[in-house]
Each structure stands twice: as C-alpha cells, then as structure tokens.
Amino acid sequence: MPSRPTTSPTQDRSGPPRTSPVSPALVWTGVDVVLILAFAVSGRRTHEHGVTFLGVLDTAWPFLAAYAVVNLALRARRSPSTPWPTAVVLWLATVVGGLLLRAASGEGVALSFQIVTLLVLGTFLVLPRAVVRALRRRRLPVA
C-alpha cells in the first residue's frame, strides 16, 4: 500500500510551512509585565530612589510574583484579552498579593501607596484590554 505524504498542523500542501503566531496570552502577559515594571520605575523616579535595574526589580517583584501566581491560577491564557472577569481579577489579586508580599518583606505599604497602587495597576491591567475590546467591537459589522 503506498504511503501518503503527511503534513504537519502548521503546514498546508500548497506552500511552505507556516509559522504559528505568538499566542495572545503570551502577548498580554508580556504587556502586563512591562506595565508592572513601568509602575515600579515611575514610583522609584517619583520618590527619588534611583532607577536602577536591581532597584526596579526590588520594587516590582512582589507585584510580579502575585501577578504570576494569579495568572496561572486564573488560567488567564484562556481569555487573556477580556476586561471582565480576567483583567479585573488579575488587577485586584495582583494588588492585594503584591501588597501582602511587600508588607511581609518589610517594605512600606502606607495607605497612600495602596491607593496609588490600586489606581495605577487598575489602569495598566484593565484599560488596555477595555480599549482593545472597544476597538474590536467598533470594527465588527452590525447585523
């Protein structure tokens, strides 16, 4: 019996192999990590703590750790671009977890810092998804 040529899932028979695009979950995770780092840079610059690589990591690590845990627990990769509930849960859990880790490590968690953290990370983690959602809806034809 002659064997049939096989193709991989990313290759069709009409042309060269296609490369698979980067997953949306990976893109959103990258955007979120950059924005959490930007939050840390902004805070260090505002309070004149010096913007060094290690200094930024020292400020950001509690929030990055909390974000990583909730991202995995939430399985945000299933719907990474949805403002509700994905982004809202990521935001609130990142803030709460980050503040708890920060307090446990002996760093300050003054009420003013908590409020700024809540507002800035809310803007950074929820707003981009809301904007993307609105732009996508705007492009869809109304039936």
Side-chain angles (χ1 to χ4, degrees), residues 27-39 60 64 67 71 125:
V27 171
W28 279 108
T29 298
V31 168
D32 292 343
V33 166
V34 166
L35 291 172
I36 292 168
L37 290 170
F39 162 71
L64 291 171
Y67 174 84
N71 196 357
L125 299 177

PDB file of all heavy atoms in Angstrom, residues 27-39 60 64 67 71 125:
ATOM      1  N   VAL A  27       1.373  37.430  24.641  1.00  0.00           N
ATOM      2  CA  VAL A  27       1.453  38.870  24.349  1.00  0.00           C
ATOM      3  C   VAL A  27       0.919  39.674  25.535  1.00  0.00           C
ATOM      4  O   VAL A  27       1.563  40.621  25.996  1.00  0.00           O
ATOM      5  CB  VAL A  27       0.683  39.221  23.057  1.00  0.00           C
ATOM      6  CG1 VAL A  27       0.570  40.731  22.879  1.00  0.00           C
ATOM      7  CG2 VAL A  27       1.355  38.582  21.852  1.00  0.00           C
ATOM      8  N   TRP A  28      -0.259  39.297  26.041  1.00  0.00           N
ATOM      9  CA  TRP A  28      -0.841  40.030  27.165  1.00  0.00           C
ATOM     10  C   TRP A  28       0.020  39.915  28.414  1.00  0.00           C
ATOM     11  O   TRP A  28       0.175  40.889  29.151  1.00  0.00           O
ATOM     12  CB  TRP A  28      -2.276  39.579  27.452  1.00  0.00           C
ATOM     13  CG  TRP A  28      -3.245  40.220  26.517  1.00  0.00           C
ATOM     14  CD1 TRP A  28      -3.920  39.630  25.493  1.00  0.00           C
ATOM     15  CD2 TRP A  28      -3.620  41.605  26.486  1.00  0.00           C
ATOM     16  NE1 TRP A  28      -4.687  40.560  24.837  1.00  0.00           N
ATOM     17  CE2 TRP A  28      -4.527  41.779  25.426  1.00  0.00           C
ATOM     18  CE3 TRP A  28      -3.266  42.704  27.255  1.00  0.00           C
ATOM     19  CZ2 TRP A  28      -5.105  43.006  25.114  1.00  0.00           C
ATOM     20  CZ3 TRP A  28      -3.832  43.938  26.945  1.00  0.00           C
ATOM     21  CH2 TRP A  28      -4.742  44.091  25.892  1.00  0.00           C
ATOM     22  N   THR A  29       0.592  38.750  28.648  1.00  0.00           N
ATOM     23  CA  THR A  29       1.479  38.596  29.799  1.00  0.00           C
ATOM     24  C   THR A  29       2.680  39.515  29.655  1.00  0.00           C
ATOM     25  O   THR A  29       3.074  40.190  30.616  1.00  0.00           O
ATOM     26  CB  THR A  29       1.925  37.129  29.952  1.00  0.00           C
ATOM     27  OG1 THR A  29       0.754  36.331  30.195  1.00  0.00           O
ATOM     28  CG2 THR A  29       2.912  36.961  31.096  1.00  0.00           C
ATOM     29  N   GLY A  30       3.253  39.578  28.464  1.00  0.00           N
ATOM     30  CA  GLY A  30       4.389  40.477  28.221  1.00  0.00           C
ATOM     31  C   GLY A  30       4.019  41.932  28.441  1.00  0.00           C
ATOM     32  O   GLY A  30       4.763  42.684  29.077  1.00  0.00           O
ATOM     33  N   VAL A  31       2.862  42.329  27.929  1.00  0.00           N
ATOM     34  CA  VAL A  31       2.392  43.711  28.116  1.00  0.00           C
ATOM     35  C   VAL A  31       2.204  43.996  29.600  1.00  0.00           C
ATOM     36  O   VAL A  31       2.650  45.040  30.109  1.00  0.00           O
ATOM     37  CB  VAL A  31       1.076  43.953  27.336  1.00  0.00           C
ATOM     38  CG1 VAL A  31       0.414  45.264  27.737  1.00  0.00           C
ATOM     39  CG2 VAL A  31       1.340  43.920  25.831  1.00  0.00           C
ATOM     40  N   ASP A  32       1.564  43.079  30.309  1.00  0.00           N
ATOM     41  CA  ASP A  32       1.320  43.277  31.741  1.00  0.00           C
ATOM     42  C   ASP A  32       2.625  43.391  32.528  1.00  0.00           C
ATOM     43  O   ASP A  32       2.766  44.265  33.393  1.00  0.00           O
ATOM     44  CB  ASP A  32       0.474  42.135  32.305  1.00  0.00           C
ATOM     45  CG  ASP A  32      -0.950  42.137  31.786  1.00  0.00           C
ATOM     46  OD1 ASP A  32      -1.403  43.170  31.255  1.00  0.00           O
ATOM     47  OD2 ASP A  32      -1.612  41.084  31.920  1.00  0.00           O
ATOM     48  N   VAL A  33       3.588  42.538  32.234  1.00  0.00           N
ATOM     49  CA  VAL A  33       4.878  42.582  32.944  1.00  0.00           C
ATOM     50  C   VAL A  33       5.574  43.916  32.681  1.00  0.00           C
ATOM     51  O   VAL A  33       6.087  44.555  33.610  1.00  0.00           O
ATOM     52  CB  VAL A  33       5.766  41.388  32.544  1.00  0.00           C
ATOM     53  CG1 VAL A  33       7.208  41.582  32.995  1.00  0.00           C
ATOM     54  CG2 VAL A  33       5.199  40.092  33.121  1.00  0.00           C
ATOM     55  N   VAL A  34       5.572  44.365  31.439  1.00  0.00           N
ATOM     56  CA  VAL A  34       6.187  45.659  31.116  1.00  0.00           C
ATOM     57  C   VAL A  34       5.485  46.784  31.874  1.00  0.00           C
ATOM     58  O   VAL A  34       6.140  47.692  32.415  1.00  0.00           O
ATOM     59  CB  VAL A  34       6.162  45.908  29.588  1.00  0.00           C
ATOM     60  CG1 VAL A  34       6.480  47.356  29.252  1.00  0.00           C
ATOM     61  CG2 VAL A  34       7.132  44.963  28.882  1.00  0.00           C
ATOM     62  N   LEU A  35       4.166  46.733  31.954  1.00  0.00           N
ATOM     63  CA  LEU A  35       3.434  47.795  32.648  1.00  0.00           C
ATOM     64  C   LEU A  35       3.650  47.745  34.165  1.00  0.00           C
ATOM     65  O   LEU A  35       3.721  48.790  34.817  1.00  0.00           O
ATOM     66  CB  LEU A  35       1.948  47.735  32.290  1.00  0.00           C
ATOM     67  CG  LEU A  35       1.650  48.124  30.843  1.00  0.00           C
ATOM     68  CD1 LEU A  35       0.188  47.852  30.501  1.00  0.00           C
ATOM     69  CD2 LEU A  35       2.004  49.579  30.589  1.00  0.00           C
ATOM     70  N   ILE A  36       3.769  46.558  34.737  1.00  0.00           N
ATOM     71  CA  ILE A  36       4.086  46.455  36.170  1.00  0.00           C
ATOM     72  C   ILE A  36       5.483  47.014  36.426  1.00  0.00           C
ATOM     73  O   ILE A  36       5.717  47.725  37.414  1.00  0.00           O
ATOM     74  CB  ILE A  36       3.936  45.004  36.668  1.00  0.00           C
ATOM     75  CG1 ILE A  36       2.462  44.598  36.645  1.00  0.00           C
ATOM     76  CG2 ILE A  36       4.515  44.840  38.071  1.00  0.00           C
ATOM     77  CD1 ILE A  36       2.205  43.107  36.849  1.00  0.00           C
ATOM     78  N   LEU A  37       6.415  46.727  35.534  1.00  0.00           N
ATOM     79  CA  LEU A  37       7.764  47.302  35.660  1.00  0.00           C
ATOM     80  C   LEU A  37       7.719  48.820  35.504  1.00  0.00           C
ATOM     81  O   LEU A  37       8.426  49.545  36.216  1.00  0.00           O
ATOM     82  CB  LEU A  37       8.711  46.675  34.638  1.00  0.00           C
ATOM     83  CG  LEU A  37       9.081  45.210  34.902  1.00  0.00           C
ATOM     84  CD1 LEU A  37       9.817  44.623  33.703  1.00  0.00           C
ATOM     85  CD2 LEU A  37       9.903  45.063  36.170  1.00  0.00           C
ATOM     86  N   ALA A  38       6.885  49.313  34.594  1.00  0.00           N
ATOM     87  CA  ALA A  38       6.741  50.767  34.418  1.00  0.00           C
ATOM     88  C   ALA A  38       6.185  51.412  35.685  1.00  0.00           C
ATOM     89  O   ALA A  38       6.597  52.517  36.067  1.00  0.00           O
ATOM     90  CB  ALA A  38       5.840  51.072  33.222  1.00  0.00           C
ATOM     91  N   PHE A  39       5.265  50.731  36.346  1.00  0.00           N
ATOM     92  CA  PHE A  39       4.736  51.202  37.628  1.00  0.00           C
ATOM     93  C   PHE A  39       5.869  51.342  38.643  1.00  0.00           C
ATOM     94  O   PHE A  39       5.981  52.351  39.343  1.00  0.00           O
ATOM     95  CB  PHE A  39       3.662  50.216  38.120  1.00  0.00           C
ATOM     96  CG  PHE A  39       3.327  50.314  39.568  1.00  0.00           C
ATOM     97  CD1 PHE A  39       2.630  51.397  40.066  1.00  0.00           C
ATOM     98  CD2 PHE A  39       3.696  49.298  40.457  1.00  0.00           C
ATOM     99  CE1 PHE A  39       2.303  51.480  41.419  1.00  0.00           C
ATOM    100  CE2 PHE A  39       3.369  49.364  41.795  1.00  0.00           C
ATOM    101  CZ  PHE A  39       2.673  50.461  42.276  1.00  0.00           C
ATOM    102  N   ALA A  60       9.355  45.950  42.100  1.00  0.00           N
ATOM    103  CA  ALA A  60       8.340  45.260  41.299  1.00  0.00           C
ATOM    104  C   ALA A  60       8.102  43.809  41.696  1.00  0.00           C
ATOM    105  O   ALA A  60       7.012  43.278  41.450  1.00  0.00           O
ATOM    106  CB  ALA A  60       8.728  45.319  39.824  1.00  0.00           C
ATOM    107  N   LEU A  64       4.988  41.363  40.574  1.00  0.00           N
ATOM    108  CA  LEU A  64       5.235  40.383  39.519  1.00  0.00           C
ATOM    109  C   LEU A  64       4.952  38.970  40.027  1.00  0.00           C
ATOM    110  O   LEU A  64       4.364  38.144  39.306  1.00  0.00           O
ATOM    111  CB  LEU A  64       6.670  40.499  39.000  1.00  0.00           C
ATOM    112  CG  LEU A  64       6.995  41.774  38.221  1.00  0.00           C
ATOM    113  CD1 LEU A  64       8.491  41.862  37.963  1.00  0.00           C
ATOM    114  CD2 LEU A  64       6.200  41.834  36.935  1.00  0.00           C
ATOM    115  N   TYR A  67       1.205  38.593  40.390  1.00  0.00           N
ATOM    116  CA  TYR A  67       0.639  38.509  39.038  1.00  0.00           C
ATOM    117  C   TYR A  67       0.854  37.105  38.458  1.00  0.00           C
ATOM    118  O   TYR A  67      -0.070  36.513  37.891  1.00  0.00           O
ATOM    119  CB  TYR A  67       1.268  39.567  38.130  1.00  0.00           C
ATOM    120  CG  TYR A  67       0.842  39.434  36.691  1.00  0.00           C
ATOM    121  CD1 TYR A  67      -0.348  40.000  36.247  1.00  0.00           C
ATOM    122  CD2 TYR A  67       1.605  38.716  35.784  1.00  0.00           C
ATOM    123  CE1 TYR A  67      -0.760  39.855  34.935  1.00  0.00           C
ATOM    124  CE2 TYR A  67       1.199  38.557  34.474  1.00  0.00           C
ATOM    125  CZ  TYR A  67       0.018  39.132  34.052  1.00  0.00           C
ATOM    126  OH  TYR A  67      -0.387  38.977  32.745  1.00  0.00           O
ATOM    127  N   ASN A  71      -2.158  34.702  37.541  1.00  0.00           N
ATOM    128  CA  ASN A  71      -2.265  34.417  36.109  1.00  0.00           C
ATOM    129  C   ASN A  71      -2.367  32.911  35.884  1.00  0.00           C
ATOM    130  O   ASN A  71      -3.199  32.448  35.108  1.00  0.00           O
ATOM    131  CB  ASN A  71      -1.054  35.002  35.376  1.00  0.00           C
ATOM    132  CG  ASN A  71      -1.255  35.093  33.891  1.00  0.00           C
ATOM    133  OD1 ASN A  71      -2.262  34.686  33.349  1.00  0.00           O
ATOM    134  ND2 ASN A  71      -0.273  35.645  33.219  1.00  0.00           N
ATOM    135  N   LEU A 125      -3.611  47.369  33.937  1.00  0.00           N
ATOM    136  CA  LEU A 125      -4.004  45.999  33.631  1.00  0.00           C
ATOM    137  C   LEU A 125      -5.396  45.879  33.008  1.00  0.00           C
ATOM    138  O   LEU A 125      -5.659  44.932  32.271  1.00  0.00           O
ATOM    139  CB  LEU A 125      -3.925  45.116  34.886  1.00  0.00           C
ATOM    140  CG  LEU A 125      -2.540  44.984  35.518  1.00  0.00           C
ATOM    141  CD1 LEU A 125      -2.602  44.150  36.785  1.00  0.00           C
ATOM    142  CD2 LEU A 125      -1.540  44.412  34.540  1.00  0.00           C
TER     143      LEU A 125
END
